[in-house]
Amino acid sequence: MGCCQSTNSGPDDAPRPAHPGARIAPPLNGAVNQPRQVDGAGSTNGRPNKPIRPTSPMPTSPSHNHQLPPPWRRSLLERERTAFFDTRVTGRQEVWDALRVACDLLRHGNVVDAQGVLDAANVTSPLGRIYVDKGKHRRPGGVYDERGEIYDIPKWVVADPQDLVEDQEEKDVEGGASDEEEDLAAAQQTLAAERRRQDKGKGRAESPGEKLYVKVRFSDGSPDVAFTADAKHPVAASLRQAEHMSGKSVRLMYLGKSLREDKTLLEQGWQKGHVLNAMVHEVDGAMLGEAASK
């Protein structure tokens, strides 16, 4: 007769159940290949994490930029969204790329795939809201990468404003101006304001302001340019300097917002040491260089 131990062991000494229906514990060496466990909230890094929710529409278009008052056109909204992701200078680029895709999916109502994109990028949302609402209600939100760095996304990047004007509704009706005429009028107003500022200072000596070290990074990947600017001079002076040094027609931006050319950098919140972003227009650089040299 064999002992009880011999009847419960096979030729390979693997443990067998002592009675029918009993579960066999997995071998210890198999734990190395087990998937990483997550906590009860679904986070793999210990931070709170909730499934993202559909984004509700915005009541009105953004009003943070005085040059772009509400209501916005559809084409303007899409350009500003593109510029927002193209001008991020903090965080990791691969996370911003994932957030760009997730925001597009949320705008089309595809919450499931948007959640999958965030999970694949190891991005967590403590409150299930991907954007940070900085309006009068001040609703918290935002997402974090695996290192704990927050990625601040405004609501208009994720949701369409309810007062949005579709481009096909903005044709010349009852004498209304076209998009090109409005853009030209805005450019002329900016130029006129700069000329008035210059004419106002004629005839009297203006004390020079503090010298600022300005670095400009271009959206087309061309090399950065750096120069010194007078703190009292408007952004238009820095814009001309950047275009002269690069031979490109650009639009200066800071932290995702277009800079007003009739105001100084410091008046618009620019901080010393921060990089300005330049959105390059599709203009012949040789022609621009000839114009700048005249």
Side-chain angles (χ1 to χ4, degrees), residues 101-178:
V101 175
C103 289
D104 184 67
L105 291 170
L106 285 175
R107 288 195 299 269
H108 290 83
N110 195 340
V111 180
V112 175
D113 287 348
Q115 182 68 65
V117 171
L118 297 184
D119 293 342
N122 202 13
V123 173
T124 58
S125 178
L127 298 177
R129 185 181 295 112
I130 194 173
Y131 64 90
V132 177
D133 191 352
K134 295 185 177 180
K136 61 181 181 179
H137 299 294
R138 300 285 181 178
R139 296 177 179 174
V143 294
Y144 297 80
D145 63 13
E146 57 187 357
R147 300 176 183 177
E149 183 171 1
I150 189 172
Y151 290 74
D152 192 347
I153 302 176
K155 188 175 182 179
W156 57 266
V157 176
V158 189
D160 289 346
Q162 291 180 323
D163 64 347
L164 188 66
V165 179
E166 298 295 341
D167 292 305
Q168 60 267 26
E169 299 177 5
E170 205 179 27
K171 301 299 181 182
D172 294 342
V173 179
E174 299 180 357
S178 64

Side-chain angles (χ1 to χ4, degrees), residues 25-289:
L28 294 177
N29 56 6
V32 176
N33 298 322
Q34 297 301 315
R36 182 172 50 174
Q37 298 297 320
V38 299
D39 57 25
S43 174
T44 60
N45 49 27
R47 289 192 302 273
N49 186 28
K50 291 185 178 180
I52 56 176
R53 304 190 300 266
T55 305
S56 59
M58 293 182 62
T60 60
S61 299
S63 58
H64 62 272
N65 191 328
H66 298 294
Q67 289 182 314
L68 306 174
W72 281 14
R73 302 190 307 270
R74 169 70 65 179
S75 57
L76 172 61
L77 177 61
E78 296 302 329
R79 288 199 302 269
E80 290 299 309
R81 283 170 173 168
T82 300
F84 173 80
F85 284 106
D86 288 345
T87 56
R88 298 301 89 197
V89 295
T90 60
R92 296 156 56 196
Q93 185 59 47
E94 61 269 23
V95 176
W96 281 117
D97 292 341
L99 291 174
R100 186 199 293 257
V101 175
C103 289
D104 184 67
L105 291 170
L106 285 175
R107 288 195 299 269
H108 290 83
N110 195 340
V111 180
V112 175
D113 287 348
Q115 182 68 65
V117 171
L118 297 184
D119 293 342
N122 202 13
V123 173
T124 58
S125 178
L127 298 177
R129 185 181 295 112
I130 194 173
Y131 64 90
V132 177
D133 191 352
K134 295 185 177 180
K136 61 181 181 179
H137 299 294
R138 300 285 181 178
R139 296 177 179 174
V143 294
Y144 297 80
D145 63 13
E146 57 187 357
R147 300 176 183 177
E149 183 171 1
I150 189 172
Y151 290 74
D152 192 347
I153 302 176
K155 188 175 182 179
W156 57 266
V157 176
V158 189
D160 289 346
Q162 291 180 323
D163 64 347
L164 188 66
V165 179
E166 298 295 341
D167 292 305
Q168 60 267 26
E169 299 177 5
E170 205 179 27
K171 301 299 181 182
D172 294 342
V173 179
E174 299 180 357
S178 64
D179 294 349
E180 292 77 8
E181 291 172 341
E182 288 186 355
D183 293 340
L184 178 60
Q188 290 174 343
Q189 291 176 0
T190 301
L191 181 60
E194 171 63 15
R195 289 176 176 173
R196 288 195 299 269
R197 185 184 180 93
Q198 294 176 354
D199 293 340
K200 186 177 180 180
K202 289 182 178 179
R204 57 186 177 90
E206 182 179 1
S207 60
E210 177 187 2
K211 293 300 182 181
L212 304 176
Y213 177 78
V214 181
K215 187 175 183 180
V216 179
R217 182 162 299 160
F218 297 90
S219 61
D220 62 354
S222 53
D224 299 348
V225 299
F227 51 86
T228 57
D230 195 305
K232 293 185 177 181
H233 287 179
V235 170
S238 298
L239 175 63
R240 289 194 299 267
Q241 182 72 2
E243 291 182 336
H244 176 74
M245 296 179 67
S246 64
K248 303 176 185 294
S249 176
V250 300
R251 175 164 57 105
L252 291 182
M253 305 185 68
Y254 176 62
L255 296 181
K257 300 178 182 179
S258 298
L259 292 176
R260 292 185 58 173
E261 297 183 15
D262 58 337
K263 289 186 174 293
T264 67
L265 287 171
L266 299 179
E267 287 175 337
Q268 301 183 72
W270 178 80
Q271 298 183 18
K272 297 177 183 179
H274 284 194
V275 178
L276 294 179
N277 295 98
M279 302 301 298
V280 179
H281 300 306
E282 296 296 333
V283 176
D284 189 347
M287 297 177 60
L288 180 62

